[in-house]
Amino acid sequence: MDLQVIDLTPASESQQQRTLDEVKDFATTDMDRGGPERWTYRMLQEPALTEELMRLSAPQTLGGVDAASLQPCRTWHYRSQDRYSVEEWSLPGGTWTYAAVFDGHMNYDTVEHISAALGPYVKDSLAAALRSRPSPPALPAIVSGILKHALAYIDSALVSDFLAIFPSTDPEELRRLDPFRIRQLLNESSGGKSGYRNTAKAFGGTTALLTLVDPSRSHLWVANVGDCVAVLGQKDSAGNWRGTVINSIHNGSNPGELERIRSEHPEEADCTWNDRVLGFLAPTRAIGDAWLKLPAIYAELVFKHLDADWFSAEVMEPHIPRIRTPPYLSSTPDVYHIQLQKEGPVASPRLLILCSDGLSDLYDGYSFDEMAEEWTQVVGKELDSKPGPKAGRANLALALLREAIGGADTQLVSRNLTVEMEERWMDDTTIVVQRLS
């Protein structure tokens, strides 16, 4: 048998150099996991590093509000479930500023719907109230009531639309329904039917943190359901920026929330387990997640018969027997009103930071009070360095995001933005920063 000999010409010196140039900016990392596995990332230098951060986080500015949202993982399955909304409303008496952050879970249907629907509902309710010309002393309570009602209403509407899919709400009648008919009801998505969409919106979930600022910037309202964080920052008389968390965090890290659930279900030791609701959900309050608010029969039917890729029946079914005395999850918001008063003839500079829990995850080991101080100082420093009102003004949300993923450490920032992993290595992170003075 004749052997065929292949002659490989050695690479020239210039070809070798080109090959080296192509890989010189790449490195590997264990992502601080300590195991043998390594992932490749690309080292970026300025201005390419900032350009990549801006491309991935799409920073925006509306009036006095800056926003940025980041999920660097490129796998479609792990695309961001965070959403935010910033709007200026021309209403009787002047322009109001609405800002909100939403952190979805389970699927994308709920967070997409709520983030789009909540603002218009609040706007219409507020406009109707303002047309009646309420007295200034009555305004704080009126607006607080509007926010509380809006969140409760939009959640109850999700549940009502879902229940309307079925011919009965009697558990025994539901159990007698033909399985084929149940699958048909839950999965209908054509011919004007919306079984699938209404089920997906109700069974997915989202947190919601929303704020309103009145035209005079004298009043701030904050309404919260879930574990997003609101921080009020202010410069003190010595010129130092100080930050304070102004909302309660509704998740398993809050002992008061766990105790509330346990007191509502005193005979059920597993109503909270591993600091999660029924051992599953980290937020203790949320919009949606109807399976944690309704009798167990609905979870049984949906997780057995709904054709969807956003849950695993094998994962969900073990939690169903724990549903004995629902609801386990609350949609009742905490609503706060803050008077933005002047301390002297000149208003002290103030700012408001809203974020999803992805930002707090990047500050592992910090208390929330420490986070508030750190974030406010980062944003305050950036604000002081570039105080211009419009042109060339820094995006404060982007500045805080950059600091959170590594700051001046270009290697760490490069790793966080470019590492080649199929799974996500950081939570969705959304930041909204509003100048209040």
Side-chain angles (χ1 to χ4, degrees):
M1 183 174 115
D2 294 333
L3 296 177
Q4 186 175 10
V5 178
I6 300 175
D7 182 21
L8 297 177
T9 304
S12 66
E13 185 174 336
S14 62
Q15 289 173 326
Q16 292 176 356
Q17 187 60 50
R18 278 200 303 271
T19 301
L20 291 173
D21 287 342
E22 289 175 357
V23 300
K24 70 176 183 177
D25 293 331
F26 289 86
T28 60
T29 174
D30 66 355
M31 294 302 288
D32 300 324
R33 298 184 180 187
E37 195 166 4
R38 296 291 185 272
W39 295 271
T40 301
Y41 70 96
R42 184 178 182 183
M43 275 294 300
L44 298 175
Q45 304 300 326
E46 296 296 358
L49 186 57
T50 295
E51 290 170 353
E52 180 68 358
L53 175 58
M54 293 180 69
R55 184 183 73 83
L56 293 173
S57 65
Q60 301 287 329
T61 296
L62 176 65
V65 186
D66 298 330
S69 187
L70 177 66
Q71 176 45 258
C73 183
R74 293 164 178 79
T75 304
W76 175 252
H77 178 73
Y78 291 110
R79 66 196 186 276
S80 180
Q81 292 174 301
D82 278 6
R83 300 291 184 271
Y84 70 86
S85 181
V86 178
E87 301 176 15
E88 291 184 337
W89 299 338
S90 181
L91 299 173
T95 300
W96 290 66
T97 303
Y98 165 85
V101 172
F102 307 89
D103 184 354
H105 48 263
M106 284 284 281
N107 61 28
Y108 299 87
D109 302 82
T110 311
V111 70
E112 288 281 9
H113 171 71
I114 298 300
S115 61
L118 185 58
Y121 186 86
V122 172
K123 180 182 178 181
D124 290 346
S125 300
L126 181 58
L130 293 174
R131 281 194 291 270
S132 67
R133 297 184 178 181
S135 66
L139 188 63
I142 291 173
V143 177
S144 295
I146 288 171
L147 295 176
K148 184 174 183 178
H149 172 77
L151 286 162
Y153 170 80
I154 208 162
D155 181 68
S156 66
L158 292 181
V159 175
S160 296
D161 289 346
F162 166 70
L163 293 176
I165 295 171
F166 302 96
S168 171
T169 57
D170 178 77
E172 294 307 316
E173 290 188 24
L174 290 174
R175 287 189 173 90
R176 289 195 294 269
L177 282 176
D178 179 70
F180 177 81
R181 179 57 177 156
I182 294 172
R183 291 184 64 85
Q184 185 181 43
L185 292 171
L186 290 173
N187 292 288
E188 284 178 322
S189 59
S190 61
K193 303 293 185 179
S194 53
Y196 176 85
R197 177 163 172 75
N198 287 345
T199 302
K201 287 191 302 182
F203 270 56
T206 184
T207 65
L209 174 66
L210 54 150
T211 65
L212 283 174
V213 177
D214 74 324
S216 68
R217 296 191 179 184
S218 300
H219 299 273
L220 165 67
W221 289 266
V222 178
N224 179 56
V225 175
D227 53 8
C228 291
V229 185
V231 171
L232 183 62
Q234 183 171 355
K235 185 180 283 190
D236 63 21
S237 58
N240 300 312
W241 283 96
R242 301 293 183 216
T244 304
V245 177
I246 54 177
N247 67 300
S248 178
I249 310 301
H250 300 149
N251 66 19
S253 71
N254 184 339
E257 283 292 288
L258 296 178
E259 180 56 35
R260 175 182 60 79
I261 297 172
R262 290 168 186 153
S263 69
E264 294 169 354
H265 307 277
E267 305 300 321
E268 300 173 52
D270 52 4
C271 63
T272 62
W273 174 56
N274 197 25
D275 291 341
R276 290 172 176 261
V277 180
L278 296 191
F280 179 81
L281 191 65
T284 53
R285 306 190 200 188
I287 306 300
D289 298 296
W291 68 283
L292 292 168
K293 300 172 180 176
L294 295 171
I297 180 62
Y298 293 102
E300 293 175 19
L301 296 177
V302 169
F303 295 138
K304 185 175 182 179
H305 297 291
L306 186 70
D307 294 327
D309 61 1
W310 44 266
F311 70 87
S312 164
E314 291 76 15
V315 171
M316 302 308 300
E317 285 173 358
H319 299 282
I320 297 174
R322 300 185 186 128
I323 304 173
R324 298 192 286 274
T325 57
Y328 295 89
L329 191 69
S330 172
S331 60
T332 302
D334 285 334
V335 181
Y336 309 86
H337 168 254
I338 298 171
Q339 185 86 37
L340 301 175
Q341 297 173 332
K342 293 182 179 180
E343 296 180 356
V346 179
S348 175
R350 284 188 174 93
L351 55 87
L352 177 66
I353 301 170
L354 311 178
C355 67
S356 62
D357 67 339
L359 182 61
S360 51
D361 286 350
L362 292 169
Y363 285 80
D364 185 38
Y366 283 65
S367 69
F368 280 105
D369 289 340
E370 290 169 336
M371 291 181 208
E373 285 287 299
E374 175 74 12
W375 301 344
T376 301
Q377 289 169 17
V378 169
V379 174
K381 180 180 178 181
E382 187 71 19
L383 183 60
D384 290 342
S385 68
K386 298 178 181 178
K390 291 183 181 179
R393 188 182 71 186
N395 185 299
L396 302 178
L398 185 66
L400 180 53
L401 179 60
R402 171 63 183 262
E403 182 64 26
I405 62 171
D409 186 339
T410 57
Q411 183 175 3
L412 181 56
V413 177
S414 295
R415 189 197 76 174
N416 283 329
L417 293 181
T418 69
V419 66
E420 297 174 2
M421 295 179 70
E422 292 299 316
E423 60 186 276
R424 67 179 186 181
W425 55 93
M426 60 178 283
D427 195 6
D428 309 332
T429 302
T430 298
I431 303 171
V432 174
V433 180
Q434 182 173 359
R435 298 161 173 83
L436 296 175
S437 57

